[in-house]
């Protein structure tokens, strides 16, 4: 079970609701993933009119917990305003907080992110901040009151997998009591497994599933990868070594020779 602000969920996969070829495929992929939490863009739904109402109906049919996000926001004011709109639209204090600094990489504005997180937490929100793998940023978010931190593996939609494994490992070691979710940049089930093997509590995915040739099958593949990664972490992975270590030692072992 994974814990988010005092609520426990069996699935360690959070899944996005954008970019799918059709609403029916979106529903089928989410079901196939086994995810209990689905992220929804507040900007898209607020501007969707009747289309937005139809989308919200599809999400309700899935019987999942909605995590609204501030995707597309580029200023603190914009992100805070969008979060407040999300609270009204979805009736939740949960918000996936995004403040974007760069249009090409979609890298988070970490200064603005921390400022927005402080404002929202004081206003009663439970914040899921999307950040880089920088430990100092994560620690400042925790100091602000975040009980969940969501560092990227790589830029959004890049499918590169974990590009700074050591930084993520350090974050896990230094923040043992914080729920950590790898968010963005994962492109294959093996990438998700690696995140769980590092001890991260969950991953958030969208593009890698929605843009697959078969999103439904890919959602299942990611679910299995996450299960395998978590099982490996709990079992205790052996440490990497610089030299070979024979599985059948020969030093000091007697050899028996047949006598003709």
């Amino acid at each position: 079970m994974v814990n988010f602000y005092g609520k426990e969920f069996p699935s360690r996969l959070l899944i996005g609701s954008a970019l799918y070829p059709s609403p029916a495929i979106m529903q089928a992929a989410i079901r196939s993933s086994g995810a209990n939490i689905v992220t929804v863009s507040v900007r898209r739904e607020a501007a969707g009119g009747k289309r937005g109402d139809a989308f919200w109906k599809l999400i309700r049919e899935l019987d999942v917990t909605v995590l609204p996000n501030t995707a597309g926001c580029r200023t603190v004011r914009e992100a805070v305003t969008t979060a407040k709109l999300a609270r009204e639209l979805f009736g939740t204090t949960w918000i996936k907080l995004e403040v974007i600094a760069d249009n090409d990489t979609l890298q988070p504005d970490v200064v603005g992110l921390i400022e927005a997180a402080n404002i929202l937490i004081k206003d009663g929100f439970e914040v899921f901040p999307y950040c880089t793998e920088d430990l100092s940023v994560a620690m400042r978010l925790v100091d602000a009151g975040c009980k969940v931190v969501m560092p990227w593996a790589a830029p959004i939609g890049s499918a590169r997998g974990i590009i700074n494994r050591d930084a993520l490992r350090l974050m896990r070691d230094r923040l043992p009591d914080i729920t950590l979710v790898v968010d963005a940049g994962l492109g294959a089930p093996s990438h998700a497994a690696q995140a769980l093997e590092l001890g991260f509590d969950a991953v958030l995915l969208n593009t890698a599933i929605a843009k697959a040739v078969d999103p439904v099958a890919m959602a299942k593949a990611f679910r299995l990868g996450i299960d395998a990664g978590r099982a490996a972490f709990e079992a205790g992975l052996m440490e990497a070594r610089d030299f070979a270590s024979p599985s059948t030692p020969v030093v000091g072992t007697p050899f028996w020779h047949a006598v003709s």
Side-chain angles (χ1 to χ4, degrees):
M1 301 286 280
V2 60
N3 188 295
F4 295 109
Y5 288 101
K7 297 179 181 178
E8 293 192 333
F9 298 88
S11 175
R12 294 178 182 274
L13 170 58
L14 290 72
I15 192 168
S17 56
L19 305 174
Y20 293 89
S22 72
I25 291 176
M26 177 198 73
Q27 276 194 320
I30 292 172
R31 289 192 174 104
S32 180
S33 74
N36 308 122
I37 299 172
V38 175
T39 61
V40 176
S41 169
V42 180
R43 288 168 148 248
R44 183 182 67 188
E45 301 321 311
K50 292 183 178 179
R51 181 177 156 196
D53 291 341
F55 173 83
W56 183 226
K57 180 176 180 293
L58 293 173
I59 294 296
R60 285 200 302 268
E61 289 174 357
L62 292 167
D63 191 28
V64 293
T65 296
V66 171
L67 174 60
N69 67 53
T70 63
C73 292
R74 286 172 168 76
T75 68
V76 172
R77 181 177 180 181
E78 195 176 13
V80 169
T81 300
T82 303
K84 291 180 178 179
L85 177 61
R87 184 164 57 185
E88 293 183 18
L89 281 174
F90 300 104
T92 179
T93 56
W94 280 18
I95 191 72
K96 184 194 171 193
L97 181 61
E98 299 182 31
V99 185
I100 301 302
D102 180 73
N103 290 334
D104 293 327
T105 64
L106 299 179
Q107 179 166 324
D109 173 359
V110 294
V111 175
L113 180 71
I114 294 166
E115 182 181 348
N118 271 289
I119 293 170
L120 291 171
I121 289 169
K122 289 175 182 176
D123 194 25
F125 282 88
E126 294 170 309
V127 177
F128 294 64
Y130 162 62
C131 60
T132 63
E133 74 277 25
D134 189 305
L135 176 61
S136 65
V137 172
M139 293 176 72
R140 286 180 179 273
L141 289 166
V142 171
D143 289 342
C146 294
K147 296 181 180 179
V148 178
V149 176
M150 305 177 75
W152 68 359
I156 293 174
S158 67
R160 294 176 62 189
I162 297 172
I163 58 176
N164 195 341
R165 184 182 181 90
D166 289 341
L168 290 182
R169 186 193 298 277
L170 178 62
M171 187 181 295
R172 178 70 285 175
D173 290 345
R174 294 290 297 275
L175 299 174
D177 300 323
I178 299 299
T179 300
L180 296 180
V181 181
V182 170
D183 176 13
L186 302 179
S190 58
H191 298 163
Q194 290 167 14
L196 272 291
E197 288 169 2
L198 286 173
F200 276 71
D201 298 286
V203 300
L204 193 155
L205 298 163
N206 191 171
T207 309
I209 292 175
K211 289 296 186 180
V213 174
D214 185 340
V216 179
M218 187 60 74
K220 180 180 179 181
F222 268 102
R223 173 169 59 82
L224 295 172
I226 288 165
D227 288 346
R230 182 64 186 183
F233 172 74
E234 291 177 346
L237 293 159
M238 67 175 288
E239 292 293 328
R241 299 174 179 176
D242 293 328
F243 301 98
S245 176
S247 57
T248 305
V250 295
V251 176
T253 302
F255 289 89
W256 302 96
H257 299 278
V259 177
S260 57

